[in-house]
Amino acid sequence: MFKTIMWAITVVLFGLFAFDAMAGTHLLAHGPEGVLAASVAAALPEAISAELKRIGAEAKEKVEDLTKAFTDFKAEHDQQLEEVKKGNADALQALKVDRINSNIDRLQHAVDDANTRLAALQMGVGAVGCGPATDPEYSAAFRANFRKGEVQAALNKGAADEGGYLAPVEWDRTITDRLVILSDMRQLATVQRVSGAGLTKLFNMGGTASGWVGETAPRPATATGTFASLGFGWGEIYANPAATQQILDDAEIDLESWLAGEVEAEFAKQEGAAFFAGDGVNKPFGILTYVTGGANAAKHPFGAIKAVNSGAAAAITADGIIDLIYDLPSAFTANAKFTMNRKTQGTVRKLKDGEGNYLWQPSYVAGQPATLAGFPVQEVAATPDVAANAIAALFGDFKQTYTVYDRVGVRVLRDPYTNKPYVQFYTTKRVGGGVHNPEPMRALKIAE
């Protein structure tokens, strides 16, 4: 019984459970003995609550450390600037500023990581709308397929038109939910599920005319508006994790969660690169390719994502950031945010406005992002570094700009033959994406 309890707590801490929001009860995957005791299940919410409190306290502590580090950074950087004005460039002072700057990066990342873990745990808890409630019969059939390759009738609940064991809906939703946490663009953009093989959208280009007439004057025909179409890049993303048959037979693990973890990490990595820089060849069109001068600058009927110069040939200036913000129409600023990589954040952290105030401010509330000139900043590793003619940052409303298209169904095939003694789980998903409206977005180009 003690072994069962320890196994259950371990599962909880890694979020390997589902929550029935309607009934308000926790339904756990089967343990080593197959059924979790009711007394253990009743204790699980307390363990979850304790873990949430622990991570929350950790996030609060990191926020306090971050606030202190940024205060130190401003003082030391101001001192460095004063010495430079006097013509006394101090290498040790510059090194001290860089070290504090790096420490701020580390602390900000720790805050973000704690918030991500909170979100993951809360998703596991299953707030309404977050994650599916499991079907015990379906889950048992799915595990039987993983372990022995058995195809049971319960598997066909998943997708009647394709065979549930090929495109299992419950597991598909689990993967998709977890990808929202790991994939930058899935957090930022609009995500839409589609069932067709591809997608083409129509755009109203305007052109409808009108005129003023007298009471009895003739009404000649007026010009009619026109439409333009736009297709989106599609591709198939795959992962192929493997395990020996003995491990599948003997391991006291949740196989669905193990496989989901293997797949989600690989999918998130591949998607992250494609959604930002994908060329559309067997993959989505990346948002950076739609920027003026990019490969898809002429693709959208509304034109390219406009680029705003940074104000220096190889650097970012405060004026460049302000120009970027005010170049975006006010209709799109309510939900606008910056995206840049961590290295670029270290650069903009040193920028001040005309009154000597730092444009970058750390997060003072757990769960809230750092800000740049009052707008949220999200770290995206796929964004290029600061370099001449590079697009070092994006600013705008991502949900109105970019759409991720998910072809319904994550397919999984169990393959015990190709690579004996390993059983491979060949998993695929059709994913598309592209800019559906370039107007709510601006790009910061490193140029004078």
Side-chain angles (χ1 to χ4, degrees), residues 319-389:
D319 286 347
I321 295 294
I322 301 302
D323 289 343
L324 180 69
I325 292 172
Y326 282 96
D327 196 77
L328 186 71
S330 58
F332 304 122
T333 57
N335 296 310
K337 63 177 58 179
F338 286 93
T339 59
M340 58 188 70
N341 65 31
R342 184 185 296 188
K343 195 172 181 181
T344 302
Q345 283 199 63
T347 298
V348 301
R349 195 172 289 131
K350 299 178 181 180
L351 300 178
K352 295 182 178 182
D353 63 17
E355 298 179 354
N357 300 310
Y358 283 87
L359 296 182
W360 187 92
Q361 293 292 325
S363 169
Y364 294 106
V365 179
Q368 298 298 318
T371 60
L372 179 61
F375 291 92
V377 181
Q378 179 159 334
E379 179 186 326
V380 175
T383 309
D385 291 337
V386 175
N389 296 315

Side-chain angles (χ1 to χ4, degrees), residues 188-267:
L188 293 165
T190 297
V191 179
Q192 181 175 329
R193 307 200 76 175
V194 297
S195 57
L199 183 71
T200 299
K201 290 189 70 173
L202 288 178
F203 293 87
N204 184 1
M205 304 304 295
T208 300
S210 62
W212 296 96
V213 295
E215 180 179 359
T216 61
R219 271 76 168 167
T222 59
T224 303
T226 60
F227 292 88
S229 63
L230 177 66
F232 292 88
W234 289 81
E236 186 171 84
I237 188 171
Y238 84 96
N240 199 18
T244 65
Q245 185 61 58
Q246 287 189 10
I247 288 179
L248 297 177
D249 288 341
D250 302 336
E252 296 179 353
I253 62 172
D254 184 335
L255 293 176
E256 293 163 272
S257 296
W258 167 78
L259 180 57
E262 294 288 299
V263 170
E264 72 191 21
E266 180 60 23
F267 280 13

Side-chain angles (χ1 to χ4, degrees), residues 9 14 21 39 72 82 121 140 165 190 231 235 246 287 315 323 326 366 379 392 407 411 421:
I9 294 175
F14 282 89
S39 59
D72 294 341
E82 287 297 323
L121 193 58
Y165 62 97
T190 297
Q246 287 189 10
I287 190 172
D323 289 343
Y326 282 96
E379 179 186 326
R407 173 71 168 85
R411 293 174 174 269

Side-chain angles (χ1 to χ4, degrees), residues 17-31:
F17 63 94
F19 176 81
D20 185 345
M22 297 301 295
T25 57
H26 292 269
L27 303 175
L28 292 171
H30 295 294

Side-chain angles (χ1 to χ4, degrees), residues 234-238 282-284 411 426-431:
W234 289 81
E236 186 171 84
I237 188 171
Y238 84 96
N282 299 323
K283 60 175 68 74
R411 293 174 174 269
Y426 177 64
T427 313
T428 60
K429 183 173 185 177
R430 297 277 303 281
V431 180

